[in-house]
Amino acid sequence: MVKSEERILKCSGGARFVHWSHTICWFVMLFSGLVLFSGWFKWLAPVFGGADGADFIHKLFAIFFIAIPLIGLFVKPRSFIEWMKMAFRWGKDEFMFMMKFPLDFIGFKVDMPPQERINAGQKINSILFPLLGFFLALSGTIMWFADNFPVWLVQLAYIVHDCCWIIGTAQVCFHAYLGSLHPGSGESFWAMFGDGKVRASWAKHHHTKWYEEVVGRE
Amino acid sequence: MAKGYLVDTTKCIGCRGCVVACKNWNQLPAEPTGFKGTYQTVADFSGNTFTYIGFNEYEENGQLKWYFMKRQCMHCLDPACMKVCPQKAISIVDGAVVRDYGKCAGCQYCASACPFHVPKYNTKINKETKCSMCAERVAEGMLPACVKACVTGALQFGERDELLASARERVNALKAEYPNARVYGEKEAGGTNVLYVLADVPSKYGLPENPQVSALTTAWQNYVKPYGPWLIALTAAGSILSFFSTRLLKVGQRAHEEESLHG
């Protein structure tokens, strides 16, 4: 057993690198993309040196956006597979967690079933973002080289691209809030923002299954 | 009082003078073409080709017949390209659908929205390009370059109403010899400022019979773009709501104070 003040590693350096570099990409591409999305965001254009510049920045960061997870996948393929395996492992505890979560979100005190290293909500997040990223990259490539694809596919790509970034950004709002300012989720902030470690006592309470696996049953 | 021009395909002899005049006036470089088993030299629009003549060959009654078709931007009354342009780079100037290159960011949305597949991407300048009906010439009281160059009178520039009347007259005269003769562009795609006198059905000329903005583009433009982003507002509002409600409901609860951000 470890002392409650001790901290255990939740997110590896590689995971944090991919997470934060992708965060930067997401926001740069979100704002440059908004300029290309609608005339409403014309006021944002000067930030990128005009709509032309926004187009350039968007495409430039698209390369990073695609390259970063591919590098991660190349360097540590196993940890990606492990992560995905865990994200797709759904049992009664996961479903109960999601059923009870809306109450916790509002602020009622609920007893949550024990969770793994990532809880059911984080599992959804872990499935959603790689999936959205994949379809954003795919539709974006079609949009970039629109001349080389059939018209209907380009038209479809516009819809897919917009749906993906809209769903993704909506999820970013939840994700950023739940990972920082939501009471009780606070410690998970340091899993990503700090050295990747969380307090053991917190882990025991919030990620019981994982805690028992790492530290051992008391 | 929108201006436009009438293409009387039955008077066209396929000399391609208009194509050269267009290249000349717009200072567009020539593009090498290969022999593709037809007299038609230019296969399609490109970033450097705003107009071309289609040589549509048919064998009728043991005779070879050409159905010449001068293609260029149709200058729609209600252009789909203008609607999808996020930079508002496309506007209607006296009937001509004109692009402001200073505003165009080369996103290519207009290319896929156009029911006639006219705008083409020019990689070199990162802009979408197409015919502007020589709006800058017309503003100076001149004819569009292609109309000026036409030797047979197949191209006629003027007010749309007057062109439509003369097109109908011409079609009536053609009916005896060409029973399928018709005006094209009066109602197609909501009406266009470029009108055609056709001797036969549009498909014979490679024109869409019923040009329409695709359902995908309409869904994207009318539903996804205006309503989609509200989802972000919804989750952002939900998060803000939760920020306050959790703090109001859990006041004094030690369990969560212990787990605060800096705990």
Side-chain angles (χ1 to χ4, degrees), chain B residues 55-95:
Chain B
F55 282 56
N56 303 288
E57 286 178 18
Y58 294 95
E59 218 178 291
E60 283 167 2
N61 309 322
Q63 270 194 316
L64 180 77
K65 283 198 91 174
W66 265 322
Y67 288 82
F68 295 121
M69 164 50 55
K70 181 190 183 293
R71 291 295 306 273
Q72 73 291 302
C73 172
M74 299 292 286
H75 299 280
C76 303
L77 301 181
D78 185 20
C81 57
M82 190 167 92
K83 278 191 216 157
V84 300
C85 181
Q87 311 306 334
K88 301 196 170 22
I90 300 167
S91 56
I92 299 178
V93 181
D94 202 10

mmCIF file of all heavy atoms in Angstrom, chain B residues 55-95:
data_model
loop_
_atom_site.group_PDB
_atom_site.id
_atom_site.type_symbol
_atom_site.label_atom_id
_atom_site.label_comp_id
_atom_site.label_asym_id
_atom_site.label_seq_id
_atom_site.Cartn_x
_atom_site.Cartn_y
_atom_site.Cartn_z
ATOM 1 N N PHE B 55 -17.439 19.773 -79.296
ATOM 2 C CA PHE B 55 -17.757 19.227 -80.624
ATOM 3 C C PHE B 55 -18.515 17.912 -80.404
ATOM 4 O O PHE B 55 -17.912 16.854 -80.300
ATOM 5 C CB PHE B 55 -16.476 18.945 -81.417
ATOM 6 C CG PHE B 55 -15.848 20.173 -82.022
ATOM 7 C CD1 PHE B 55 -15.497 21.260 -81.245
ATOM 8 C CD2 PHE B 55 -15.602 20.234 -83.390
ATOM 9 C CE1 PHE B 55 -14.907 22.385 -81.802
ATOM 10 C CE2 PHE B 55 -15.010 21.363 -83.954
ATOM 11 C CZ PHE B 55 -14.663 22.432 -83.171
ATOM 12 N N ASN B 56 -19.819 18.013 -80.291
ATOM 13 C CA ASN B 56 -20.598 16.804 -80.029
ATOM 14 C C ASN B 56 -20.986 16.159 -81.357
ATOM 15 O O ASN B 56 -21.763 16.714 -82.120
ATOM 16 C CB ASN B 56 -21.830 17.166 -79.211
ATOM 17 C CG ASN B 56 -21.457 17.854 -77.906
ATOM 18 O OD1 ASN B 56 -20.948 17.225 -76.984
ATOM 19 N ND2 ASN B 56 -21.665 19.163 -77.840
ATOM 20 N N GLU B 57 -20.404 14.988 -81.609
ATOM 21 C CA GLU B 57 -20.595 14.316 -82.908
ATOM 22 C C GLU B 57 -21.711 13.286 -82.841
ATOM 23 O O GLU B 57 -21.759 12.478 -81.916
ATOM 24 C CB GLU B 57 -19.302 13.584 -83.300
ATOM 25 C CG GLU B 57 -18.193 14.501 -83.766
ATOM 26 C CD GLU B 57 -16.919 13.735 -84.098
ATOM 27 O OE1 GLU B 57 -17.014 12.496 -84.299
ATOM 28 O OE2 GLU B 57 -15.864 14.356 -84.128
ATOM 29 N N TYR B 58 -22.584 13.319 -83.823
ATOM 30 C CA TYR B 58 -23.630 12.288 -83.927
ATOM 31 C C TYR B 58 -23.789 11.878 -85.373
ATOM 32 O O TYR B 58 -23.635 12.705 -86.286
ATOM 33 C CB TYR B 58 -24.963 12.813 -83.379
ATOM 34 C CG TYR B 58 -24.914 13.089 -81.892
ATOM 35 C CD1 TYR B 58 -24.632 14.363 -81.428
ATOM 36 C CD2 TYR B 58 -25.119 12.057 -80.977
ATOM 37 C CE1 TYR B 58 -24.566 14.618 -80.071
ATOM 38 C CE2 TYR B 58 -25.052 12.305 -79.615
ATOM 39 C CZ TYR B 58 -24.775 13.595 -79.166
ATOM 40 O OH TYR B 58 -24.706 13.829 -77.830
ATOM 41 N N GLU B 59 -24.097 10.608 -85.590
ATOM 42 C CA GLU B 59 -24.367 10.140 -86.942
ATOM 43 C C GLU B 59 -25.874 10.093 -87.113
ATOM 44 O O GLU B 59 -26.565 9.348 -86.398
ATOM 45 C CB GLU B 59 -23.744 8.754 -87.149
ATOM 46 C CG GLU B 59 -23.165 8.586 -88.544
ATOM 47 C CD GLU B 59 -22.507 7.222 -88.720
ATOM 48 O OE1 GLU B 59 -21.461 6.996 -88.097
ATOM 49 O OE2 GLU B 59 -23.088 6.398 -89.448
ATOM 50 N N GLU B 60 -26.377 10.916 -88.011
ATOM 51 C CA GLU B 60 -27.817 10.965 -88.217
ATOM 52 C C GLU B 60 -28.130 10.802 -89.702
ATOM 53 O O GLU B 60 -27.589 11.538 -90.538
ATOM 54 C CB GLU B 60 -28.375 12.292 -87.696
ATOM 55 C CG GLU B 60 -28.486 12.294 -86.178
ATOM 56 C CD GLU B 60 -28.725 13.666 -85.607
ATOM 57 O OE1 GLU B 60 -28.840 14.637 -86.365
ATOM 58 O OE2 GLU B 60 -28.772 13.758 -84.370
ATOM 59 N N ASN B 61 -29.009 9.838 -90.019
ATOM 60 C CA ASN B 61 -29.379 9.522 -91.409
ATOM 61 C C ASN B 61 -28.137 9.307 -92.279
ATOM 62 O O ASN B 61 -28.036 9.832 -93.391
ATOM 63 C CB ASN B 61 -30.245 10.632 -92.021
ATOM 64 C CG ASN B 61 -31.425 10.965 -91.120
ATOM 65 O OD1 ASN B 61 -32.018 10.069 -90.508
ATOM 66 N ND2 ASN B 61 -31.737 12.241 -90.999
ATOM 67 N N GLY B 62 -27.185 8.573 -91.731
ATOM 68 C CA GLY B 62 -25.980 8.266 -92.491
ATOM 69 C C GLY B 62 -25.033 9.436 -92.654
ATOM 70 O O GLY B 62 -24.071 9.363 -93.410
ATOM 71 N N GLN B 63 -25.320 10.530 -91.963
ATOM 72 C CA GLN B 63 -24.466 11.708 -92.066
ATOM 73 C C GLN B 63 -23.878 12.059 -90.711
ATOM 74 O O GLN B 63 -24.551 11.914 -89.691
ATOM 75 C CB GLN B 63 -25.289 12.901 -92.549
ATOM 76 C CG GLN B 63 -25.329 13.044 -94.056
ATOM 77 C CD GLN B 63 -25.864 14.411 -94.431
ATOM 78 O OE1 GLN B 63 -26.840 14.860 -93.846
ATOM 79 N NE2 GLN B 63 -25.237 15.046 -95.397
ATOM 80 N N LEU B 64 -22.661 12.556 -90.711
ATOM 81 C CA LEU B 64 -22.069 13.024 -89.473
ATOM 82 C C LEU B 64 -22.569 14.435 -89.181
ATOM 83 O O LEU B 64 -22.575 15.290 -90.061
ATOM 84 C CB LEU B 64 -20.535 13.026 -89.589
ATOM 85 C CG LEU B 64 -19.822 13.502 -88.335
ATOM 86 C CD1 LEU B 64 -19.793 12.427 -87.270
ATOM 87 C CD2 LEU B 64 -18.422 13.997 -88.655
ATOM 88 N N LYS B 65 -23.023 14.622 -87.932
ATOM 89 C CA LYS B 65 -23.481 15.969 -87.567
ATOM 90 C C LYS B 65 -22.791 16.445 -86.303
ATOM 91 O O LYS B 65 -22.569 15.675 -85.378
ATOM 92 C CB LYS B 65 -25.010 15.974 -87.354
ATOM 93 C CG LYS B 65 -25.781 15.953 -88.644
ATOM 94 C CD LYS B 65 -27.212 16.397 -88.442
ATOM 95 C CE LYS B 65 -27.387 17.879 -88.625
ATOM 96 N NZ LYS B 65 -28.805 18.258 -88.571
ATOM 97 N N TRP B 66 -22.427 17.719 -86.320
ATOM 98 C CA TRP B 66 -21.826 18.322 -85.140
ATOM 99 C C TRP B 66 -22.854 19.180 -84.421
ATOM 100 O O TRP B 66 -23.563 19.976 -85.049
ATOM 101 C CB TRP B 66 -20.657 19.216 -85.556
ATOM 102 C CG TRP B 66 -19.331 18.545 -85.489
ATOM 103 C CD1 TRP B 66 -18.903 17.662 -84.566
ATOM 104 C CD2 TRP B 66 -18.239 18.737 -86.394
ATOM 105 N NE1 TRP B 66 -17.613 17.279 -84.821
ATOM 106 C CE2 TRP B 66 -17.186 17.924 -85.934
ATOM 107 C CE3 TRP B 66 -18.049 19.519 -87.534
ATOM 108 C CZ2 TRP B 66 -15.942 17.861 -86.581
ATOM 109 C CZ3 TRP B 66 -16.818 19.463 -88.175
ATOM 110 C CH2 TRP B 66 -15.786 18.638 -87.698
ATOM 111 N N TYR B 67 -22.909 19.033 -83.140
ATOM 112 C CA TYR B 67 -23.715 19.921 -82.318
ATOM 113 C C TYR B 67 -22.756 20.749 -81.468
ATOM 114 O O TYR B 67 -22.336 20.329 -80.405
ATOM 115 C CB TYR B 67 -24.691 19.125 -81.440
ATOM 116 C CG TYR B 67 -25.822 18.505 -82.221
ATOM 117 C CD1 TYR B 67 -25.647 17.298 -82.884
ATOM 118 C CD2 TYR B 67 -27.047 19.146 -82.302
ATOM 119 C CE1 TYR B 67 -26.681 16.743 -83.621
ATOM 120 C CE2 TYR B 67 -28.088 18.586 -83.045
ATOM 121 C CZ TYR B 67 -27.892 17.385 -83.705
ATOM 122 O OH TYR B 67 -28.923 16.844 -84.423
ATOM 123 N N PHE B 68 -22.395 21.910 -82.008
ATOM 124 C CA PHE B 68 -21.413 22.742 -81.306
ATOM 125 C C PHE B 68 -22.016 23.349 -80.048
ATOM 126 O O PHE B 68 -23.182 23.740 -80.024
ATOM 127 C CB PHE B 68 -20.917 23.872 -82.221
ATOM 128 C CG PHE B 68 -20.153 23.372 -83.412
ATOM 129 C CD1 PHE B 68 -20.568 23.658 -84.696
ATOM 130 C CD2 PHE B 68 -19.015 22.599 -83.234
ATOM 131 C CE1 PHE B 68 -19.860 23.195 -85.797
ATOM 132 C CE2 PHE B 68 -18.304 22.129 -84.323
ATOM 133 C CZ PHE B 68 -18.732 22.426 -85.609
ATOM 134 N N MET B 69 -21.202 23.435 -79.049
ATOM 135 C CA MET B 69 -21.678 23.949 -77.772
ATOM 136 C C MET B 69 -20.609 24.822 -77.150
ATOM 137 O O MET B 69 -19.560 24.344 -76.734
ATOM 138 C CB MET B 69 -22.016 22.763 -76.855
ATOM 139 C CG MET B 69 -22.180 23.049 -75.381
ATOM 140 S SD MET B 69 -23.259 24.413 -74.935
ATOM 141 C CE MET B 69 -24.788 24.003 -75.732
ATOM 142 N N LYS B 70 -20.858 26.122 -77.115
ATOM 143 C CA LYS B 70 -19.911 27.009 -76.426
ATOM 144 C C LYS B 70 -20.232 26.966 -74.938
ATOM 145 O O LYS B 70 -21.319 27.357 -74.521
ATOM 146 C CB LYS B 70 -20.025 28.445 -76.947
ATOM 147 C CG LYS B 70 -19.034 29.387 -76.249
ATOM 148 C CD LYS B 70 -19.312 30.840 -76.589
ATOM 149 C CE LYS B 70 -18.301 31.780 -75.957
ATOM 150 N NZ LYS B 70 -18.384 31.833 -74.493
ATOM 151 N N ARG B 71 -19.308 26.469 -74.168
ATOM 152 C CA ARG B 71 -19.523 26.388 -72.718
ATOM 153 C C ARG B 71 -18.781 27.517 -72.017
ATOM 154 O O ARG B 71 -17.655 27.841 -72.374
ATOM 155 C CB ARG B 71 -19.025 25.043 -72.174
ATOM 156 C CG ARG B 71 -19.824 23.832 -72.580
ATOM 157 C CD ARG B 71 -21.247 23.838 -72.035
ATOM 158 N NE ARG B 71 -21.326 24.006 -70.589
ATOM 159 C CZ ARG B 71 -21.265 23.007 -69.712
ATOM 160 N NH1 ARG B 71 -21.111 21.775 -70.120
ATOM 161 N NH2 ARG B 71 -21.381 23.250 -68.426
ATOM 162 N N GLN B 72 -19.397 28.077 -71.008
ATOM 163 C CA GLN B 72 -18.763 29.042 -70.105
ATOM 164 C C GLN B 72 -19.703 29.165 -68.900
ATOM 165 O O GLN B 72 -20.712 28.468 -68.846
ATOM 166 C CB GLN B 72 -18.542 30.401 -70.787
ATOM 167 C CG GLN B 72 -19.799 31.245 -71.004
ATOM 168 C CD GLN B 72 -20.719 30.635 -72.037
ATOM 169 O OE1 GLN B 72 -20.308 30.419 -73.169
ATOM 170 N NE2 GLN B 72 -21.954 30.327 -71.673
ATOM 171 N N CYS B 73 -19.346 30.032 -67.968
ATOM 172 C CA CYS B 73 -20.233 30.247 -66.821
ATOM 173 C C CYS B 73 -21.607 30.666 -67.323
ATOM 174 O O CYS B 73 -21.720 31.447 -68.267
ATOM 175 C CB CYS B 73 -19.658 31.338 -65.924
ATOM 176 S SG CYS B 73 -20.789 31.843 -64.610
ATOM 177 N N MET B 74 -22.671 30.123 -66.714
ATOM 178 C CA MET B 74 -24.034 30.423 -67.167
ATOM 179 C C MET B 74 -24.548 31.745 -66.581
ATOM 180 O O MET B 74 -25.582 32.234 -66.978
ATOM 181 C CB MET B 74 -24.967 29.283 -66.757
ATOM 182 C CG MET B 74 -24.614 27.938 -67.358
ATOM 183 S SD MET B 74 -24.868 27.887 -69.133
ATOM 184 C CE MET B 74 -26.653 27.815 -69.205
ATOM 185 N N HIS B 75 -23.861 32.279 -65.617
ATOM 186 C CA HIS B 75 -24.277 33.513 -64.946
ATOM 187 C C HIS B 75 -25.720 33.415 -64.453
ATOM 188 O O HIS B 75 -26.612 34.130 -64.930
ATOM 189 C CB HIS B 75 -24.033 34.733 -65.842
ATOM 190 C CG HIS B 75 -22.589 34.904 -66.176
ATOM 191 N ND1 HIS B 75 -21.692 35.474 -65.299
ATOM 192 C CD2 HIS B 75 -21.863 34.526 -67.260
ATOM 193 C CE1 HIS B 75 -20.479 35.453 -65.850
ATOM 194 N NE2 HIS B 75 -20.561 34.877 -67.024
ATOM 195 N N CYS B 76 -25.925 32.515 -63.516
ATOM 196 C CA CYS B 76 -27.250 32.247 -62.944
ATOM 197 C C CYS B 76 -27.847 33.502 -62.303
ATOM 198 O O CYS B 76 -27.115 34.350 -61.789
ATOM 199 C CB CYS B 76 -27.148 31.170 -61.871
ATOM 200 S SG CYS B 76 -26.451 29.632 -62.441
ATOM 201 N N LEU B 77 -29.181 33.553 -62.344
ATOM 202 C CA LEU B 77 -29.868 34.659 -61.663
ATOM 203 C C LEU B 77 -29.749 34.492 -60.150
ATOM 204 O O LEU B 77 -29.731 35.458 -59.394
ATOM 205 C CB LEU B 77 -31.346 34.678 -62.068
ATOM 206 C CG LEU B 77 -31.647 34.843 -63.567
ATOM 207 C CD1 LEU B 77 -33.144 34.870 -63.793
ATOM 208 C CD2 LEU B 77 -31.009 36.114 -64.105
ATOM 209 N N ASP B 78 -29.687 33.231 -59.720
ATOM 210 C CA ASP B 78 -29.594 32.918 -58.290
ATOM 211 C C ASP B 78 -28.423 31.947 -58.105
ATOM 212 O O ASP B 78 -28.627 30.753 -57.919
ATOM 213 C CB ASP B 78 -30.923 32.287 -57.844
ATOM 214 C CG ASP B 78 -30.958 32.054 -56.352
ATOM 215 O OD1 ASP B 78 -30.172 32.700 -55.636
ATOM 216 O OD2 ASP B 78 -31.766 31.219 -55.902
ATOM 217 N N PRO B 79 -27.187 32.465 -58.174
ATOM 218 C CA PRO B 79 -26.036 31.559 -58.256
ATOM 219 C C PRO B 79 -25.741 30.802 -56.957
ATOM 220 O O PRO B 79 -25.655 31.407 -55.885
ATOM 221 C CB PRO B 79 -24.865 32.508 -58.584
ATOM 222 C CG PRO B 79 -25.425 33.880 -58.676
ATOM 223 C CD PRO B 79 -26.802 33.881 -58.125
ATOM 224 N N ALA B 80 -25.588 29.489 -57.114
ATOM 225 C CA ALA B 80 -25.265 28.638 -55.963
ATOM 226 C C ALA B 80 -23.860 28.943 -55.456
ATOM 227 O O ALA B 80 -23.601 28.896 -54.252
ATOM 228 C CB ALA B 80 -25.377 27.165 -56.352
ATOM 229 N N CYS B 81 -22.945 29.296 -56.371
ATOM 230 C CA CYS B 81 -21.560 29.581 -55.990
ATOM 231 C C CYS B 81 -21.507 30.775 -55.031
ATOM 232 O O CYS B 81 -20.743 30.788 -54.074
ATOM 233 C CB CYS B 81 -20.713 29.852 -57.223
ATOM 234 S SG CYS B 81 -21.310 31.196 -58.260
ATOM 235 N N MET B 82 -22.360 31.768 -55.323
ATOM 236 C CA MET B 82 -22.381 32.977 -54.494
ATOM 237 C C MET B 82 -22.876 32.650 -53.088
ATOM 238 O O MET B 82 -22.376 33.184 -52.101
ATOM 239 C CB MET B 82 -23.292 34.013 -55.153
ATOM 240 C CG MET B 82 -23.216 35.380 -54.538
ATOM 241 S SD MET B 82 -24.015 36.618 -55.561
ATOM 242 C CE MET B 82 -25.667 36.636 -54.908
ATOM 243 N N LYS B 83 -23.855 31.734 -53.021
ATOM 244 C CA LYS B 83 -24.431 31.382 -51.713
ATOM 245 C C LYS B 83 -23.441 30.644 -50.828
ATOM 246 O O LYS B 83 -23.412 30.860 -49.619
ATOM 247 C CB LYS B 83 -25.661 30.495 -51.921
ATOM 248 C CG LYS B 83 -26.906 31.286 -52.233
ATOM 249 C CD LYS B 83 -28.113 30.363 -52.149
ATOM 250 C CE LYS B 83 -29.134 30.732 -53.180
ATOM 251 N NZ LYS B 83 -30.004 29.618 -53.507
ATOM 252 N N VAL B 84 -22.664 29.740 -51.403
ATOM 253 C CA VAL B 84 -21.764 28.936 -50.563
ATOM 254 C C VAL B 84 -20.451 29.648 -50.240
ATOM 255 O O VAL B 84 -19.704 29.174 -49.388
ATOM 256 C CB VAL B 84 -21.442 27.554 -51.186
ATOM 257 C CG1 VAL B 84 -22.697 26.749 -51.391
ATOM 258 C CG2 VAL B 84 -20.662 27.694 -52.475
ATOM 259 N N CYS B 85 -20.162 30.765 -50.906
ATOM 260 C CA CYS B 85 -18.867 31.423 -50.697
ATOM 261 C C CYS B 85 -18.792 32.066 -49.309
ATOM 262 O O CYS B 85 -19.529 33.002 -49.017
ATOM 263 C CB CYS B 85 -18.601 32.484 -51.763
ATOM 264 S SG CYS B 85 -17.003 33.292 -51.533
ATOM 265 N N PRO B 86 -17.899 31.552 -48.434
ATOM 266 C CA PRO B 86 -17.810 32.126 -47.083
ATOM 267 C C PRO B 86 -17.138 33.499 -47.083
ATOM 268 O O PRO B 86 -17.278 34.255 -46.129
ATOM 269 C CB PRO B 86 -16.985 31.106 -46.312
ATOM 270 C CG PRO B 86 -16.249 30.335 -47.325
ATOM 271 C CD PRO B 86 -16.986 30.431 -48.619
ATOM 272 N N GLN B 87 -16.381 33.813 -48.134
ATOM 273 C CA GLN B 87 -15.664 35.092 -48.172
ATOM 274 C C GLN B 87 -16.488 36.185 -48.838
ATOM 275 O O GLN B 87 -16.019 37.317 -48.953
ATOM 276 C CB GLN B 87 -14.332 34.933 -48.920
ATOM 277 C CG GLN B 87 -13.489 33.750 -48.476
ATOM 278 C CD GLN B 87 -13.212 33.734 -46.991
ATOM 279 O OE1 GLN B 87 -13.211 34.774 -46.349
ATOM 280 N NE2 GLN B 87 -13.007 32.563 -46.426
ATOM 281 N N LYS B 88 -17.677 35.829 -49.312
ATOM 282 C CA LYS B 88 -18.521 36.775 -50.064
ATOM 283 C C LYS B 88 -17.718 37.404 -51.207
ATOM 284 O O LYS B 88 -17.768 38.612 -51.443
ATOM 285 C CB LYS B 88 -19.098 37.836 -49.135
ATOM 286 C CG LYS B 88 -19.939 37.224 -48.012
ATOM 287 C CD LYS B 88 -20.811 38.230 -47.339
ATOM 288 C CE LYS B 88 -21.830 37.635 -46.393
ATOM 289 N NZ LYS B 88 -21.565 36.307 -45.870
ATOM 290 N N ALA B 89 -16.945 36.547 -51.860
ATOM 291 C CA ALA B 89 -16.083 37.024 -52.948
ATOM 292 C C ALA B 89 -16.845 37.115 -54.263
ATOM 293 O O ALA B 89 -16.362 37.710 -55.217
ATOM 294 C CB ALA B 89 -14.888 36.087 -53.106
ATOM 295 N N ILE B 90 -18.032 36.514 -54.330
ATOM 296 C CA ILE B 90 -18.786 36.466 -55.582
ATOM 297 C C ILE B 90 -19.988 37.403 -55.476
ATOM 298 O O ILE B 90 -20.709 37.389 -54.478
ATOM 299 C CB ILE B 90 -19.233 35.020 -55.888
ATOM 300 C CG1 ILE B 90 -18.001 34.108 -56.019
ATOM 301 C CG2 ILE B 90 -20.071 34.977 -57.160
ATOM 302 C CD1 ILE B 90 -18.315 32.639 -56.003
ATOM 303 N N SER B 91 -20.157 38.215 -56.520
ATOM 304 C CA SER B 91 -21.284 39.139 -56.523
ATOM 305 C C SER B 91 -21.850 39.232 -57.934
ATOM 306 O O SER B 91 -21.222 38.774 -58.892
ATOM 307 C CB SER B 91 -20.838 40.518 -56.047
ATOM 308 O OG SER B 91 -19.780 40.973 -56.864
ATOM 309 N N ILE B 92 -23.037 39.796 -58.048
ATOM 310 C CA ILE B 92 -23.646 39.974 -59.363
ATOM 311 C C ILE B 92 -23.483 41.428 -59.777
ATOM 312 O O ILE B 92 -23.912 42.340 -59.065
ATOM 313 C CB ILE B 92 -25.135 39.574 -59.338
ATOM 314 C CG1 ILE B 92 -25.264 38.094 -58.963
ATOM 315 C CG2 ILE B 92 -25.777 39.837 -60.701
ATOM 316 C CD1 ILE B 92 -26.690 37.607 -58.863
ATOM 317 N N VAL B 93 -22.811 41.635 -60.901
ATOM 318 C CA VAL B 93 -22.602 42.978 -61.429
ATOM 319 C C VAL B 93 -23.331 43.064 -62.761
ATOM 320 O O VAL B 93 -22.879 42.504 -63.746
ATOM 321 C CB VAL B 93 -21.094 43.277 -61.619
ATOM 322 C CG1 VAL B 93 -20.888 44.689 -62.142
ATOM 323 C CG2 VAL B 93 -20.333 43.072 -60.319
ATOM 324 N N ASP B 94 -24.464 43.750 -62.766
ATOM 325 C CA ASP B 94 -25.224 43.942 -63.999
ATOM 326 C C ASP B 94 -25.473 42.612 -64.730
ATOM 327 O O ASP B 94 -25.299 42.507 -65.937
ATOM 328 C CB ASP B 94 -24.464 44.928 -64.920
ATOM 329 C CG ASP B 94 -25.404 45.581 -65.923
ATOM 330 O OD1 ASP B 94 -26.630 45.418 -65.763
ATOM 331 O OD2 ASP B 94 -24.918 46.247 -66.850
ATOM 332 N N GLY B 95 -25.844 41.601 -63.965
ATOM 333 C CA GLY B 95 -26.161 40.302 -64.570
ATOM 334 C C GLY B 95 -25.005 39.324 -64.600
ATOM 335 O O GLY B 95 -25.191 38.120 -64.685
#
